[in-house]
DNA sequence: ACAATGACTGAAT
DNA sequence: AATTCAGCCATTG
């Protein structure tokens, strides 16, 4: 990683996501000032397998609340299982009550 | 240095 | 309203 600045930022934001909440790639990208680089966020997650502390990539889904990245986990059910264990309802790889569990860094990490 | 890739998103049809 | 198309931008070969 010659210049993991972007990844580091992504990891940091993802790690800030509280248990029982989820966020979207676009929200993270926007918080980092790169709202159009949502794909890079997903790519960062792809590299986040061996980073430490561990990055809760299971709390990051696409803007529709769909577990788009579940296929990248060792077990396809690992992502849904972890979300369910945190109190998030997932049916058919789709997060239920997505608007209630959605965690927007721009709103939560904003200056109070 | 060029071209291709990708866990997305928004706009157009 | 649902599906399709194109843009976007950092990293890798």
């Amino acid at each position: 990683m010659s210049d993991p600045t972007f990844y580091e930022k992504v990891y940091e934001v993802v790690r800030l996501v509280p248990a029982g909440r989820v966020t979207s790639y676009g929200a993270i990208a926007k918080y980092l000032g790169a709202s159009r680089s949502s794909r890079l966020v997903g790519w960062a997650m792809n590299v986040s397998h061996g980073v430490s502390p561990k990055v809760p990539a299971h709390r990051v889904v696409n803007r529709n609340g769909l577990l788009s990245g579940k296929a990248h986990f060792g077990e396809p059910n690992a992502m849904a299982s972890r979300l369910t264990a945190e109190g998030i309802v997932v049916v058919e790889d789709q997060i239920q009550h997505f608007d209630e569990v959605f965690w927007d860094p721009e709103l939560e990490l904003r200056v109070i």
Side-chain angles (χ1 to χ4, degrees):
Chain A
M1 312 319 171
S2 44
D3 193 20
T5 356
F6 193 85
Y7 286 177
E8 287 233 342
K9 288 180 182 175
V10 175
Y11 299 153
E12 184 140 356
V13 177
V14 175
R15 280 190 293 242
L16 287 174
V17 179
R21 296 291 159 86
V22 293
T23 189
S24 68
Y25 305 92
I28 298 173
K30 187 173 184 177
Y31 179 72
L32 297 178
S35 52
R36 292 163 185 170
S37 310
S38 39
R39 290 183 168 168
L40 289 314
V41 178
W43 207 316
M45 295 291 95
N46 195 14
V47 192
S48 68
H49 275 272
V51 302
S52 71
K54 183 186 164 238
V55 179
H58 59 277
R59 293 185 194 147
V60 186
V61 296
N62 68 355
R63 133 173 182 41
N64 292 313
L66 186 70
L67 308 191
S68 48
K70 81 158 201 163
H72 288 257
F73 283 72
E75 290 275 322
N77 298 336
M79 191 173 186
S81 297
R82 283 177 175 179
L83 289 173
T84 303
E86 293 183 353
I88 298 178
V89 185
V90 180
V91 178
E92 295 276 306
D93 305 335
Q94 173 70 45
I95 295 179
Q96 308 300 309
H97 313 292
F98 181 59
D99 56 329
E100 295 181 9
V101 297
F102 181 71
W103 185 82
D104 190 343
E106 277 225 283
L107 296 178
E108 303 297 330
L109 298 181
R110 205 174 175 181
V111 182
I112 307 175

